[in-house]
Amino acid sequence: MTAELVRGQNHTLPQTRLEIRISAGTPVVAGATLGDEHGRVPGIEWIAHPGSPQLHGLEVSRQAAAGHRLAVDLDALPEGVHRVTVLLALPVAAGGPATFGAVASPFVAVTGLDGDEIATFTLTGLDSESAVAALELYRRQGAWKVRAVGQGYAGGLADMLADQGVDRAAELAGTIQEAVARGLARSVAPPPPRTPEGDRVRHAPAPAPGGDAQPPAPAVPPAAPPQPEPLAEPAAPGGPINYAHPRRQSTAPPPPPPAAPPAEPGRPAQPVAGDATGWSMDERLYNQVWGMFEDLSRTVAAYRSAVDFAESRMDQELERTLSDPRSRIGNTGDLARQEARAKRDELTARARESLDRDLAQLAAESAVVEPALPAPYAGWDNPVWHGYRAPMEIPMALRIGDLHLPESADVRIPLLVRLPLERGMWIDSGRTASQAAALTGTDELRRLAMEAAVLHAARLLAVYPPNEFTVHVIDPAGSAAGPLAPLVRSGVLPSPPASGAQGVSAVLAHLTRRVDLVQMAIRAGAADSLPPDLDPAEQLLIVNDFPHGFDDRAVTQLRYLADEGPSVGVHLMMVADREEASEYGPVLDPLWRSLLRVTPVADDHLADPWVGHAWTYEPPRTPPGSAVLDDVLARVAEARRTGHR
């Protein structure tokens, strides 16, 4: 029976391997401190937080989220630990709530590995606090208990850490918030809302290794609830300006279509395309792809957790063996070591078997889903592009590449970002730490980066209705003439790529003026007053080889477009090497963080919104020798000229 705790109440824990689940109405930072018998934290190495998420017997989430799962193995905690305090704090990112009084009361549940709740606690009564000690697990007379704490701190994370005796608490709090900011910057945006009435059809998860060797559940935070959809802006001359996707969420969407016939006993169910809720097949496929993304994140997290547990268990058994004088007699020690390694190998093999079973199911699903994807979600090698016609409405999302993990290189997940774009893109033309980048020359990286930008821009032009998306290009030195040729010769650009200081200045001034005018019209509620020459289409600015050709004024305008442009339909696509822009120092840090970083070659820099795995990103490519890009751009240009779809 679940114990519903109130502040100050405690409850005995019936087991030592636990999961602490946290639900909040907004993304929060979750961490934990390990204290001695007096509750003091001896040092920063006794604190688990997003910048250092793992300790012996404890694992927390690597990034801020509205939901967290913290894994705790009380028996595996370092000797001398008598208290585990679970901490919550609000990120300092701009735009988020500043105090817990402005959000729904967080809810914390202590569960067993089977998911059954042992104790719960709702943190009510918070007001001006931005950090809170939610609950603590403590040892009393050899038994572990949980106590509901709910102690808030208006001074934030620094005050909370200082209260537990942490030296240089303010410095550590800054380090934690910096790690959170980095995690948010590299994290793929979570999927759109799903109604509670239905969801993607999930296959039953494979059982975890049984017996007392069952690993602790991984620290896997569920996806954060998405933010509300932006409202449509007032109409402007020449057509409406609507920067929100036309959603129909007033009622629940219809359920998924009928699934395939039930599988034979002992065999996995046959996957089908569109086994998710949605108003259309495109929406169901979108939700299905995100479901596959989440499934793969969690199944790999479970595998890695199981392997870590097996290694930790072996280390503990070997340590006990070496500390026992009897192990020095005869071959007792050798036998104990062999037994410990054999147990580790058995647990690892079981975990791999479970992983392989899940990967096979996901691979089968991917093989069914990929051919069924519509053009906005499909790879350039999909036959759907050969029958391309200009669409009549904006799609839900856009594919910008593929993702995979080391354990599942054959299972590729389409990386879909929502439309209209919520973040601009930065295509990193510098030499990154990836093996692919190390094997590619500098000039080749720059060429590949610009080719990737052209493919992204071409896809955006193709998936928007005619004349509802406009692309501008700044190429200060004219060095990208080759990669830009498909856009130029097709006639889809309103003007040739801008070069030289005068060209850079003219384009930036034009887009800055557009942002200013639309913002003023929105604030004044006077969209009808917009000048007739203002293009109501979404705007994309591709900037090549930044910062070459940019003076201080141009850099300031670029930052302004990055900050203010997306809300009024102006987006950036930077093709740049961050190292070459280092002369500007930290002044450009907000610019880089506001953009989704992708690469022209394979690189493992993106994180999922659930677990925080480092995923290998594969940029889009057209098939060798294919004319699909030129064909699609020619049809886009024709539709723009005639207005026919």
Side-chain angles (χ1 to χ4, degrees):
M1 183 175 179
T2 304
E4 298 181 2
L5 305 180
V6 297
R7 188 175 280 108
Q9 190 176 5
N10 61 46
H11 182 74
T12 300
L13 294 171
Q15 52 192 284
T16 57
R17 298 221 308 282
L18 309 163
E19 192 172 75
I20 299 174
R21 302 184 179 186
I22 299 163
S23 300
T26 188
V28 297
V29 182
T33 60
L34 305 181
D36 57 20
E37 63 270 21
H38 304 295
R40 305 287 289 180
V41 179
I44 61 173
E45 67 276 5
W46 286 45
I47 304 174
H49 57 79
S52 179
Q54 290 183 318
L55 300 176
H56 283 297
L58 177 64
E59 184 176 2
V60 304
S61 305
R62 291 169 171 79
Q63 58 197 49
H68 294 269
R69 294 183 183 180
L70 281 58
V72 182
D73 185 350
L74 297 173
D75 289 337
L77 293 173
E79 191 173 346
V81 173
H82 287 256
R83 186 172 302 175
V84 180
T85 304
V86 176
L87 314 176
L88 303 179
L90 292 170
V92 296
T99 67
F100 278 106
V103 300
S105 298
F107 173 81
V108 184
V110 179
T111 76
L113 296 184
D114 56 4
D116 290 342
E117 292 181 346
I118 299 170
T120 63
F121 175 42
T122 302
L123 285 77
T124 58
L126 298 175
D127 186 12
S128 61
E129 300 89 346
S130 59
V132 59
L135 55 77
E136 62 184 16
L137 313 177
Y138 65 99
R139 183 159 48 188
R140 180 69 52 83
Q141 297 178 348
W144 282 94
K145 298 184 177 182
V146 57
R147 176 186 290 122
V149 180
Q151 175 64 54
Y153 295 83
L157 191 56
D159 280 8
M160 181 166 54
L161 294 172
D163 192 42
Q164 297 192 38
V166 178
D167 292 332
R168 302 170 71 179
E171 182 178 338
L172 177 59
T175 300
I176 294 172
Q177 293 287 7
E178 177 66 22
V180 172
R182 288 196 303 269
L184 291 173
R186 64 190 283 267
S187 177
V188 177
R194 293 181 185 174
T195 63
E197 288 80 359
D199 201 350
R200 154 181 159 79
V201 175
R202 302 296 178 90
H203 304 293
D212 63 352
Q214 186 175 1
V220 183
Q227 299 303 311
E229 294 290 334
L231 298 176
E233 307 297 355
I241 299 179
N242 186 341
Y243 300 117
H245 188 276
R247 298 315 246 322
R248 295 160 295 187
Q249 295 294 339
S250 57
T251 60
E264 297 178 11
R267 300 179 65 106
Q270 294 300 309
V272 294
D275 72 341
T277 58
W279 289 101
S280 65
M281 187 61 173
D282 288 3
E283 187 170 357
R284 292 197 294 269
L285 286 167
Y286 174 85
N287 288 334
Q288 185 173 11
V289 168
W290 270 94
M292 294 165 59
F293 190 7
E294 182 178 355
D295 284 352
L296 185 54
S297 298
R298 295 189 185 281
T299 196
V300 169
Y303 168 72
R304 292 180 180 178
S305 181
V307 171
D308 289 344
F309 174 77
E311 293 287 346
S312 175
R313 178 188 175 115
M314 183 187 71
D315 291 342
Q316 292 175 23
E317 291 181 353
L318 291 176
E319 185 177 350
R320 286 196 296 268
T321 298
L322 293 174
S323 63
D324 187 352
R326 292 172 296 181
S327 66
R328 304 186 184 97
I329 302 173
N331 63 349
T332 303
D334 292 339
L335 291 175
R337 281 189 285 270
Q338 291 176 10
E339 183 179 349
R341 293 190 179 103
K343 189 64 175 177
R344 184 272 315 270
D345 293 344
E346 178 188 354
L347 291 175
T348 302
R350 269 196 241 167
R352 185 71 217 193
E353 181 181 355
S354 177
L355 174 67
D356 288 343
R357 184 167 54 248
D358 290 344
L359 291 181
Q361 184 69 14
L362 283 168
E365 186 171 12
S366 178
V368 171
V369 169
E370 189 72 44
L373 295 177
Y377 309 168
W380 285 106
D381 57 349
N382 193 308
V384 71
W385 287 107
H386 297 301
Y388 168 78
R389 294 185 62 188
M392 299 182 65
E393 61 179 20
I394 302 171
M396 174 178 282
L398 183 85
R399 186 174 186 159
I400 63 170
D402 293 344
L403 297 172
H404 63 86
L405 291 170
E407 294 88 347
S408 60
D410 293 336
V411 180
R412 304 295 178 96
I413 303 296
L415 176 53
L416 304 180
V417 296
R418 297 174 64 186
L419 292 179
L421 294 173
E422 297 172 345
R423 299 170 68 180
M425 295 173 64
W426 162 32
I427 303 175
D428 192 348
S429 61
R431 189 175 297 282
T432 63
S434 73
Q435 182 180 7
L439 297 175
T440 308
T442 301
D443 292 341
E444 180 70 2
L445 280 174
R446 290 178 176 173
R447 181 186 66 81
L448 291 174
M450 200 61 204
E451 287 181 354
V454 169
L455 286 176
H456 292 310
R459 185 180 288 260
L460 281 163
L461 286 164
V463 303
Y464 270 75
N467 299 309
E468 291 190 20
F469 197 88
T470 301
V471 176
H472 307 270
V473 180
I474 290 179
D475 185 21
S479 59
L484 287 170
L487 294 178
V488 174
R489 63 173 173 256
S490 66
V492 296
L493 299 179
S495 58
S499 60
Q502 186 174 358
V504 171
S505 177
V507 172
L508 292 177
H510 169 73
L511 292 176
T512 301
R513 171 179 174 269
R514 184 189 187 283
V515 172
D516 288 340
L517 289 174
V518 175
Q519 283 187 336
M520 287 189 292
I522 292 172
R523 284 194 289 265
D528 291 341
S529 65
L530 288 170
D533 64 340
L534 186 138
D535 181 4
E538 295 268 322
Q539 310 283 311
L540 175 70
L541 172 60
I542 301 176
V543 179
N544 181 45
D545 215 14
F546 178 81
H548 301 295
F550 283 75
D551 55 22
D552 289 345
R553 182 171 184 272
V555 170
T556 301
Q557 289 177 310
L558 202 62
R559 283 193 56 187
Y560 175 73
L561 292 177
D563 292 340
E564 305 294 334
S567 64
V568 291
V570 177
H571 313 283
L572 285 183
M573 186 178 291
M574 304 282 291
V575 181
D577 180 353
R578 186 170 182 175
E579 290 300 317
E580 294 184 356
S582 59
E583 63 186 83
Y584 289 98
V587 70
L588 288 181
D589 285 350
L591 172 63
W592 304 122
R593 288 181 180 173
S594 69
L595 305 173
L596 175 64
R597 175 178 172 254
V598 295
T599 51
V601 294
D603 191 272
D604 55 351
H605 65 282
L606 289 177
D608 62 79
W610 305 284
V611 185
H613 289 315
W615 290 72
T616 298
Y617 168 79
E618 296 278 357
R621 293 275 189 270
T622 55
S626 170
V628 62
L629 178 62
D630 288 330
D631 290 345
V632 169
L633 286 175
R635 297 180 193 182
V636 170
E638 177 65 21
R640 291 168 70 89
R641 285 192 297 270
T642 64
H644 295 158
R645 297 176 172 84

